[in-house]
Amino acid sequence: MAKQNTADIGFEKEIWKAADLLRGNLDASEYKSVVLGLIFLKYISDKFETKYQELVNNGEGFEEDRDEYMADNIFFVPQEARWNVVAEAAHTPEIGVVIDNAMRLIEKENIRLKGILPKNFARPELDKRRLGDVVDLFTNIQMKEHGDSKDILGRTYEYCLSKFAEAEGKLAGEFYTPACIVQTLVEVLKPYHGRVYDPACGSGGMFVQSAKFIERHQGNIKDISVYGQDSNPTTWKMAQMNLAIRGIEADLGKFNADTFFDDQHPTLKADFIMANPPFNLSDWGADKLQDDVRWKFGIPPSGNAKFAWLQHMIHHLSPKGKIGMVLANGSLSSQTGGEGTIRENIIKSDLIEGIVALPSQLFYTTGIPVSLWFLNREKKQKDKILFVDARNMGTMVTRKLRELQEADIKKIADTFDKYNDGTLENEKGFCVVVALGDVAKQDYILTPGRYVGIAEQEDDGIPFQEKMDKLTTELSDLFAQSHDLEDEIRKQLASIGFTIK
């Protein structure tokens, strides 16, 4: 398993510096598009230049032959669109026009990018002096050095988007999923081959991690077909660019569209579905979809789309398909709006393979506690559900951010492997296999903590009476301190003419 650690975000911080240069006169949503568009342009330029020099050194005169680049899945960059042209124009009034022209030329030469690249750098409100400064910063960054080992757009997009959202005071959890969560989904599902689908694909992180999983296990990326959709036009384009960089051919629909009202893949039956749909989406249009064929287990309430997302995915599942998705913890126990009945019906259908409760603080910009749901049409352990309580896992990599580490992800994936093999032993406080009948006795509530119990504490050898004497003494001291503080507060208030009644 590849090492997972986004604590080392020096590269992302460099990119954020670029974004910060433009912060003064653009909204976050606008300079996000500018900065990430330049990331893409610089990255493909670096890749092109490396191949170009290789062909020049070969001395056979093929350095301007498009086929030589296409053979290595490298985008061909026309001469007028190469980074050296952009860099030379960095501090001229025409820098915006030069970049827009480069984007158009690249789209013309590479049909996969048609209509995807941003071409709004020449607009008057974009400060050309600051844009030139960003170009200078990018000129000094070798994107190709990061591209093979890091999710250049996905990871940078994740970092920058969180900073954009933080700067704007908005939550942005619905637009991206931390890599450690995606990797956990992928390691459990193991999408070696077949159709992979994400109906809320964001910047394409699920697909990128699937490709990496296949590479790590010596598989062939051509053995999977990728399908996705996203309603946000900017995010949809970022996903197209993110996947294009990696040579992942994906069908993300003809355009960005609402998954519930304009399903871009109506006949798709996927083998692997992975998603982190928007948390607790309200006013999603339930009143207009009351008789929808997807609501096999019950009509989702208008106030929350979580069971609409889940049923949409089940509808698109092949006869041997699996689902791994992120849902807010309310989905485990909610009874409002008929959600309890929907959950009960799904449980009775014996689709749910396992539930994993995740630790808090995994997301950059939201503290909503979440769980992973795993469903499988071909469960090996019939009439049973695996519950994993991973709330104590992960490591704080910053003051606010926690990450699941490689060992954590492996432990969760191994637990599912053993469960499916029938060799798993229950571990109190961490995992337990529960019969559906016992879940029914708990009113079909799926909160893992209800089933796994509390881990046994090791005996530290200190007698109980001694522990209690120590604790009561400490508590007595704290009470005394509180009384002293209370007296001091009363004195200070009295000194300015106030008394506590």
Side-chain angles (χ1 to χ4, degrees), residues 25-39:
N25 73 324
L26 285 180
D27 290 337
S29 60
E30 292 184 87
Y31 65 77
K32 175 183 66 181
S33 175
V34 170
V35 171
L36 295 178
L38 283 177
I39 290 173

Side-chain angles (χ1 to χ4, degrees), residues 375-392:
L375 288 77
N376 190 343
R377 284 207 190 274
E378 285 190 333
K379 285 175 61 174
K380 292 184 179 179
Q381 299 296 328
K382 303 293 185 183
D383 300 316
K384 297 176 183 177
I385 296 177
L386 170 63
F387 291 96
V388 176
D389 191 342
R391 289 177 296 173
N392 292 325

Side-chain angles (χ1 to χ4, degrees), residues 221-492:
I221 186 63
K222 293 182 179 179
D223 288 340
I224 66 169
S225 302
V226 172
Y227 301 86
Q229 179 166 349
D230 201 274
S231 62
N232 183 287
T234 302
T235 306
W236 183 79
K237 290 179 180 180
M238 289 300 107
Q240 296 277 16
M241 292 157 61
N242 194 11
L243 298 176
I245 279 178
R246 290 165 181 78
I248 300 173
E249 294 192 21
D251 181 350
L252 303 187
K254 295 180 180 178
F255 38 72
N256 61 288
D258 185 297
T259 301
F260 295 131
F261 285 90
D262 191 1
D263 188 348
Q264 294 288 292
H265 311 286
T267 62
L268 174 67
K269 296 298 180 182
D271 302 302
F272 302 95
I273 301 178
M274 293 176 283
N276 173 30
F279 292 147
N280 300 326
L281 182 66
S282 60
D283 300 323
W284 55 276
D287 57 320
K288 300 178 180 65
L289 296 170
Q290 292 293 296
D291 299 320
D292 198 284
V293 68
R294 290 170 288 186
W295 314 149
K296 180 179 178 182
F297 302 97
I299 299 174
S302 59
N304 199 312
K306 55 180 175 276
F307 282 106
W309 285 110
L310 181 53
Q311 291 191 86
H312 171 87
M313 294 180 215
I314 294 173
H315 174 76
H316 278 288
L317 207 55
S318 76
K320 60 179 180 178
K322 300 178 181 181
I323 294 173
M325 70 178 299
V326 184
L327 279 178
N329 278 356
S331 59
L332 301 171
S333 58
S334 172
Q335 302 290 347
T336 60
E339 290 183 340
T341 301
I342 298 172
R343 185 175 58 251
E344 177 181 337
N345 290 336
I346 293 173
I347 292 170
K348 285 180 175 177
S349 71
D350 200 20
L351 282 172
I352 299 178
E353 188 166 70
I355 302 289
V356 180
L358 292 178
S360 60
Q361 296 177 275
L362 289 175
F363 289 87
Y364 284 108
T365 55
T366 179
I368 295 177
V370 301
S371 298
L372 303 182
W373 288 52
F374 293 97
L375 288 77
N376 190 343
R377 284 207 190 274
E378 285 190 333
K379 285 175 61 174
K380 292 184 179 179
Q381 299 296 328
K382 303 293 185 183
D383 300 316
K384 297 176 183 177
I385 296 177
L386 170 63
F387 291 96
V388 176
D389 191 342
R391 289 177 296 173
N392 292 325
M393 284 186 161
T395 301
M396 296 301 295
V397 294
T398 70
R399 188 171 57 87
K400 295 182 179 180
L401 181 67
R402 182 188 305 273
E403 278 188 353
L404 295 175
Q405 300 298 303
E406 178 181 355
D408 300 323
I409 297 171
K410 186 177 188 305
K411 183 174 182 179
I412 293 171
D414 288 348
T415 299
F416 272 85
D417 290 343
K418 291 174 183 177
Y419 162 59
N420 285 315
D421 292 341
T423 60
L424 181 66
E425 294 185 8
N426 294 340
E427 182 182 333
K428 204 165 184 180
F430 176 66
C431 68
V432 64
V433 179
V434 180
L436 294 190
D438 292 327
V439 176
K441 293 176 183 177
Q442 296 291 331
D443 295 324
Y444 298 97
I445 289 173
L446 296 175
T447 306
R450 180 171 290 216
Y451 300 96
V452 302
I454 300 173
E456 295 181 2
Q457 300 296 315
E458 290 186 15
D459 187 356
D460 57 10
I462 301 174
F464 175 77
Q465 186 62 45
E466 185 178 333
K467 287 181 182 178
M468 287 303 297
D469 289 343
K470 181 180 179 182
L471 289 172
T472 53
T473 299
E474 290 176 353
L475 188 58
S476 178
D477 291 341
L478 290 172
F479 283 157
Q481 290 178 35
S482 71
H483 291 316
D484 291 342
L485 287 171
E486 182 181 337
D487 290 341
E488 181 62 28
I489 291 170
R490 289 179 184 276
K491 289 178 183 177
Q492 293 298 328

Side-chain angles (χ1 to χ4, degrees), residues 15 18 21-22 33-50 52-53 64 75-92 95-96 98-103 105-106 117-118 121 130-144 241:
I15 301 301
L21 290 173
L22 291 170
S33 175
V34 170
V35 171
L36 295 178
L38 283 177
I39 290 173
F40 184 82
L41 179 60
K42 181 60 164 61
Y43 181 79
I44 65 171
S45 294
D46 282 358
K47 295 288 282 187
F48 173 85
E49 283 298 329
T50 299
Y52 183 89
Q53 288 303 320
E64 296 292 343
F75 293 108
F76 182 79
V77 182
Q79 194 163 4
E80 299 87 348
R82 293 170 192 170
W83 190 262
N84 65 303
V85 175
V86 174
E88 287 172 5
H91 296 291
T92 68
I95 179 58
V98 171
I99 295 173
D100 284 346
N101 184 54
M103 296 293 192
L105 289 170
I106 290 170
L117 304 185
F121 293 84
R130 289 177 175 174
L131 179 59
D133 290 340
V134 175
V135 170
D136 280 349
L137 189 149
F138 278 16
T139 299
N140 296 321
I141 296 174
Q142 291 300 309
M143 296 286 181
K144 63 183 175 59
M241 292 157 61

Side-chain angles (χ1 to χ4, degrees), residues 27-29 161-176 364-366:
D27 290 337
S29 60
L161 185 55
S162 71
K163 299 296 286 185
F164 292 136
E166 185 179 311
E168 294 292 302
K170 299 174 183 177
L171 298 181
E174 66 222 52
F175 297 112
Y176 67 91
Y364 284 108
T365 55
T366 179

